[in-house]
């Protein structure tokens, strides 16, 4: 089924009270491991971030964590993964996550997750890439964000084709089948384009 080799997952480093967010991250990690898709993520051991990485690692999958050096002093990085890359800045982290990934999947998260997601949308808008960006709408988490996107378009601050840069799926189980469908519908243009 996989049409990609590596998937960057943006998600929260916090542990939410509702355990269903963590369950979704765990399930996606197990799916990626089973399908042989490498996880590229932020390198941390906490929250959804740590949960998905442990699920991939513990089920025999490949995990690449990319973390700024200063963050290793604030939060634990996950040990025992395939590769950990320490960088100097958040910008370098995002750039390397971009370079190492064929597509982006966004689970629920906080301001850092929003920052990463909006930057990938902006780069797509600026025609710097055509990689898929997929939001997993666990418990309706991304509905307010999608409303904001519509508001930005409706007020004329973004073009209607901004919608084309995002795909919303209802569950983690839909991620890889939807990526496969997009590859068939849109062809290789959905895959990486050199900057």
């Amino acid at each position: 089924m996989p049409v990609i080799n590596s998937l960057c997952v943006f998600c929260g480093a916090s542990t939410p009270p509702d355990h269903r967010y963590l369950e979704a991250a765990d399930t996606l990690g197990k799916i990626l491991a089973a399908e042989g898709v490498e996880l590229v993520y932020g390198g941390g051991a906490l929250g959804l971030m740590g949960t998905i990485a442990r699920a991939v690692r513990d089920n025999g999958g490949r995990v690449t964590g990319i973390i700024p050096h200063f963050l290793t002093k604030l939060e634990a990085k996950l040990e025992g993964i395939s590769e950990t890359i320490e960088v100097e800045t958040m910008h370098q982290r995002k750039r390397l996550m971009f370079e190492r990934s064929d597509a982006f999947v966004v689970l629920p998260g906080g301001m850092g997750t929003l920052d990463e997601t909006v930057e990938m949308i902006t780069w797509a808008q600026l025609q710097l890439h055509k990689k898929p960006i997929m939001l997993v709408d666990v418990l309706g988490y991304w509905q307010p964000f999608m409303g904001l996107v519509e508001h930005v378009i409706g007020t004329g601050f973004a073009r209607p084709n901004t919608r084309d840069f995002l795909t919303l799926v209802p569950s983690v189980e839909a991620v890889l089948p939807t990526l496969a469908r997009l590859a068939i519908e849109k062809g290789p243009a959905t895959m990486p384009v050199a900057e």
Side-chain angles (χ1 to χ4, degrees), residues 3 24-25 47 63 78 83-84 94 102 167-168 171 177 185-186:
V3 294
V63 180
L78 186 63
E83 183 178 12
T84 298
K94 284 186 282 191
D102 297 326
T167 302
L168 188 72
S171 67
E185 291 176 0
K186 298 184 179 182

Side-chain angles (χ1 to χ4, degrees), residues 44-146:
L46 303 175
L48 274 69
M49 191 183 289
T51 298
I52 187 171
R54 275 190 295 276
V56 176
R57 179 198 67 189
D58 295 349
N59 287 278
R62 179 168 174 78
V63 180
T64 297
I66 303 171
I67 188 167
H69 181 67
F70 77 89
L71 264 187
T72 64
K73 299 172 183 176
L74 301 175
E75 60 184 57
K77 61 183 177 181
L78 186 63
E79 302 296 337
I81 60 176
S82 311
E83 183 178 12
T84 298
I85 302 169
E86 288 192 28
V87 295
E88 289 303 313
T89 69
M90 296 292 280
H91 293 292
Q92 289 172 335
R93 178 200 222 178
K94 284 186 282 191
R95 178 68 196 193
L96 197 51
M97 291 170 88
F98 170 81
E99 291 173 354
R100 290 284 190 112
S101 305
D102 297 326
F104 305 95
V105 163
V106 188
L107 295 176
M111 297 305 163
T113 302
L114 288 171
D115 168 64
E116 292 162 333
T117 304
V118 170
E119 185 148 6
M120 290 305 108
I121 296 167
T122 302
W123 289 5
Q125 186 175 288
L126 295 172
Q127 300 180 13
L128 297 178
H129 78 91
K130 293 185 180 178
K131 299 181 184 186
I133 304 166
M134 184 177 298
L135 304 177
V136 184
D137 200 27
V138 180
L139 303 178
Y141 187 84
W142 291 111
Q143 291 303 312
F145 178 77
M146 296 304 290

Side-chain angles (χ1 to χ4, degrees), residues 11-33:
C11 59
S14 297
T15 300
D18 193 325
H19 65 277
R20 290 175 290 179
Y21 293 115
L22 295 171
E23 289 172 0
D26 181 70
T27 299
L28 181 57
K30 289 173 179 172
I31 291 169
L32 296 181

